[in-house]
Amino acid sequence: MTTTLPAPDPVAPAGRHRPQWPLAALAGLLAATVALGVAELVAGLVGPASSPVIAVGDAVIARVPESVKAFAIRTFAEDDKVALVVGTLLVVAAYAVLLGLVGLRNRRLGVLGVLLFGAVGVLAATTRPAAEWPDALPSLAAAVAGVVALLALLAPLGGTGDPAGAGEPVPVPERPEDRRLLDRLREVLAAGDRASDGLDRRRFFLTGAVAVGVAAVTGGGGRLLQRRTEVASLRDGVELPVPSSPAAALPPGADLAAEVDGLTPLVTRNGDFYRIDTALIAPRIRPADYRLELAGMFDSPRSYTLADLLGRPDVIERDITLTCVSNEVGGALAGSARWLGVPLAPLLRENGIRPGSDQLLCRSEDGMTIGAPTRSALEVEDAMLAFGMNGEPLPVVHGFPVRMIIPGLYGYVSACKWLTRIEATTFDAVDAFWIERDWAVEGPIKVASRIDTPEMLREFPAGRRAIAGVAWAQTRGIGKVEVRVDEEEWVEARLSPAIDADVWRQWVLPYDFSPGRHVLTVRATSTDGEVQTEQRASPFPAGSSGWHSVEVIAG
Ligand SMILES: Nc1nc2c(c(=O)[nH]1)N[C@H]1C(S)=C(S)[C@@H](COP(=O)(O)O)O[C@H]1N2
Ligand SMILES: [Mo]
């Protein structure tokens, strides 16, 4: 009868060996760093959105439930994308450590793990709406580099380089002298392991240093390449037309922010304008390649180049406040800009838009779909295709080269950025992206007001001080803003001059603060008499409502 003993475990050898698993974990991390570095380099050649980190992040955004998205926007505000990239990297790091540990025991499994990682990258990069096959290259290159790096880094650590024989039970010889021979063999092998320990470490750290170098050079080089392909420089070459219908110059003193510290400026600078979209990397469209395609329920749909749009005789310039449906009461997801573009209605009519269409399904370069009501596009004054923002071509993150703007509708049902296609259709026929996710089909902006200053819970000297903020009711205009301090009567605030019904108005109320805590509340009324509702609603599914209230401290 033969009994069997387990083979000596090469990972946990007997004796005074220092454990190898921390080095194996490090090997996994370094291999991942090399893989990501190489991926960035190839992405530099193929296009930034093909980077596996970006592609996986994009894929996550497209698939997470609304509640998680809302949580991310709430928690990280506009850093939500940074948070996602950091989160993706943390998951990759944890997976890399695991692969290092698994690989130490079983190379084949380790290699398989790296290939799986590459496959996820390939899948994410090639299933994006605008994907082309070269988008798979960064992930493929990353997988190859990852395998090479992992094997090279694990080699000095020993372990089961050849999984074929390792781990299999060795029959225990029946003759005692054979058994002694086997034991002796094991001792010699273990001694050899110990003797080579220092040497192996040196080789490990040398290999590790090479890995860090490779990762730094490829990653850094990739970043540089990616920057070189930026469209930002092309944007500078776009020459904006002079509007045939310019916006009136702002009257002197129109911007009350000049007199009140902490009040939101009347016009939001492009760099300060809130940004909400699902694109980790904003689509880069070369002006010469741009086409706007009309499709669906038109009698004679055509397509437009950027030059076609810029060259139209009916260019308008308008001040409009854009608002996000995700804005919380008192939130900052609203901004005002001077937009330059062509009015939508004549363009739609020229192409023979059919009366049966009630939805314009707008598609962006990155595959996003935004469904705007056809009636609003035709009837809301100043609904436009915008190509200019505050005197510049649209910034890349705000939709360069062309986006839609419809005053009075939240961005998710009107403001499609990187707009490449307008399909005249019906709401019955198709659901746009956010509607599939159960946001309201219609998104009229609710009457809203916000207190900017004094800031919540930041102590200021008691005495006279301005309470101030902004209020908006696009298409109707703000007629009145009232402020209540503690349980006192509502008092009407002074408003900034009315510029256009589509722009917010600043409001200011000087107040004598007694020392202590005070609760300030604001409510606005539109020019057609709708008082901002006190009824609280959260942003999902049709926009937040309720009065903005802050507790302040006068010292
Ligand atoms: N292509 C595209 N367009 C988009 C979005 C998007 O995710 N993708 N988000 C919309 C939403 S929800 C809003 S509020 C506005 C925000 O525009 P901004 O980023 O220029 O402020 O863009 C809209 N247009
Ligand atoms: Mo939005």
Side-chain angles (χ1 to χ4, degrees):
M1 190 195 84
T2 48
T3 49
T4 57
L5 287 174
D9 185 351
V11 184
R16 301 165 303 279
H17 260 102
R18 276 192 262 171
Q20 276 166 311
W21 68 262
L23 293 184
L26 186 57
L29 276 178
L30 287 173
T33 314
V34 169
L36 293 184
V38 168
E40 287 308 306
L41 182 65
V42 180
L45 301 168
V46 175
S50 65
S51 148
V53 176
I54 298 299
V56 169
D58 272 337
V60 169
I61 291 182
R63 285 164 186 82
V64 296
E66 272 328 294
S67 53
V68 178
K69 241 177 269 189
F71 167 81
I73 290 180
R74 232 180 12 254
T75 313
F76 304 111
E78 289 166 77
D79 293 329
D80 57 342
K81 294 190 174 65
V82 179
L84 185 73
V85 169
V86 170
T88 307
L89 288 177
L90 285 180
V91 172
V92 170
Y95 184 63
V97 165
L98 186 76
L99 283 191
L101 297 178
V102 167
L104 183 64
R105 282 178 166 270
N106 186 332
R107 295 289 196 276
R108 267 184 221 173
L109 216 56
V111 167
L112 212 67
V114 179
L115 295 181
L116 191 70
F117 166 81
V120 170
V122 168
L123 206 69
T126 54
T127 52
R128 289 176 312 121
E132 291 165 21
W133 73 265
D135 290 340
L137 292 178
S139 299
L140 286 177
V144 172
V147 166
V148 171
L150 186 68
L151 291 180
L153 285 158
L154 287 178
L157 301 183
T160 45
D162 171 20
E168 271 171 29
V170 176
V172 177
E174 285 186 24
R175 291 194 340 207
E177 52 269 46
D178 286 351
R179 229 177 284 162
R180 269 200 299 280
L181 194 65
L182 189 68
D183 287 346
R184 176 77 192 114
L185 196 64
R186 280 177 180 165
E187 269 168 39
V188 169
L189 283 175
D193 260 5
R194 280 197 291 277
S196 65
D197 188 36
L199 196 73
D200 290 347
R201 281 171 170 273
R202 191 174 310 137
R203 195 172 129 211
F204 175 81
F205 285 113
L206 274 176
T207 317
V210 171
V212 170
V214 168
V217 169
T218 52
R223 283 278 152 195
L224 279 181
L225 275 174
Q226 290 175 32
R227 215 167 297 158
R228 220 193 42 190
T229 60
E230 293 271 296
V231 161
S233 52
L234 295 170
R235 176 181 164 265
D236 297 337
V238 171
E239 211 169 307
L240 293 178
V242 176
S244 60
S245 169
L250 297 182
D255 187 355
L256 300 184
E259 18 173 318
V260 181
D261 249 11
L263 174 58
T264 302
L266 194 58
V267 179
T268 314
R269 294 197 356 238
N270 288 354
D272 296 336
F273 208 94
Y274 81 95
R275 174 189 172 194
I276 292 289
D277 55 60
T278 57
L280 269 187
I281 293 207
R284 320 266 144 169
I285 302 175
R286 291 167 183 276
D289 298 341
Y290 179 75
R291 291 289 179 286
L292 172 65
E293 189 197 342
L294 300 188
M297 301 164 75
F298 288 100
D299 288 333
S300 50
R302 59 163 287 190
S303 74
Y304 294 85
T305 64
L306 186 57
D308 290 339
L309 294 175
L310 295 171
R312 283 178 66 95
D314 54 354
V315 173
I316 58 173
E317 182 188 53
R318 296 292 182 266
D319 296 317
I320 299 166
T321 298
L322 194 65
T323 313
C324 182
V325 69
S326 295
N327 196 44
E328 302 275 354
V329 170
L333 299 181
S336 292
R338 180 158 281 199
W339 308 94
L340 184 75
V342 293
L344 258 172
L347 188 135
L348 296 173
R349 292 224 168 85
E350 278 166 30
N351 287 276
I353 184 144
R354 301 204 185 119
S357 161
D358 62 6
Q359 174 177 216
L360 297 180
L361 190 71
C362 303
R363 186 175 293 272
S364 106
E365 173 73 9
D366 67 341
M368 165 60 74
T369 52
I370 288 187
T374 309
R375 192 158 47 87
S376 304
L378 289 173
E379 289 174 12
V380 172
E381 210 184 318
D382 302 334
M384 65 163 108
L385 298 178
F387 37 65
M389 181 178 183
N390 291 328
E392 293 174 21
L394 282 182
V396 169
V397 293
H398 293 296
F400 181 81
V402 177
R403 76 178 305 172
M404 193 176 279
I405 298 283
I406 303 181
L409 298 180
Y410 288 119
Y412 82 107
V413 290
S414 66
C416 189
K417 305 194 272 189
W418 314 291
L419 177 69
T420 58
R421 188 179 138 101
I422 301 175
E423 183 189 343
T425 177
T426 64
F427 284 110
D428 281 344
V430 51
D431 281 344
F433 182 87
W434 298 105
I435 311 313
E436 271 177 6
R437 287 154 180 80
D438 295 327
W439 288 80
V441 174
E442 304 247 337
I445 297 175
K446 297 177 180 176
V447 179
S449 57
R450 154 182 110 200
I451 301 167
D452 291 337
T453 182
E455 254 182 273
M456 183 169 38
L457 299 180
R458 179 175 298 169
E459 192 170 321
F460 57 87
R464 198 167 179 79
R465 184 189 170 101
I467 308 172
V470 287
W472 58 81
Q474 290 92 324
T475 69
R476 296 180 278 166
I478 288 292
K480 181 164 77 170
V481 169
E482 300 161 287
V483 178
R484 189 177 65 188
V485 181
D486 300 322
E487 297 305 311
E488 294 169 16
E489 292 294 301
W490 290 98
V491 179
E492 218 174 307
R494 171 165 74 105
L495 295 175
S496 60
I499 293 166
D500 189 298
D502 297 334
V503 205
W504 60 19
R505 293 179 79 172
Q506 299 161 314
W507 56 266
V508 177
L509 181 71
Y511 185 82
D512 292 310
F513 282 96
S514 59
R517 287 172 178 254
H518 300 281
V519 175
L520 315 179
T521 307
V522 65
R523 73 176 182 202
T525 306
S526 61
T527 52
D528 57 357
E530 184 188 331
V531 182
Q532 180 181 347
T533 178
E534 186 180 6
Q535 187 83 43
R536 277 264 161 186
S538 58
F540 183 83
S544 65
S545 69
W547 294 339
H548 187 212
S549 235
V550 293
E551 187 170 349
V552 301
I553 309 171

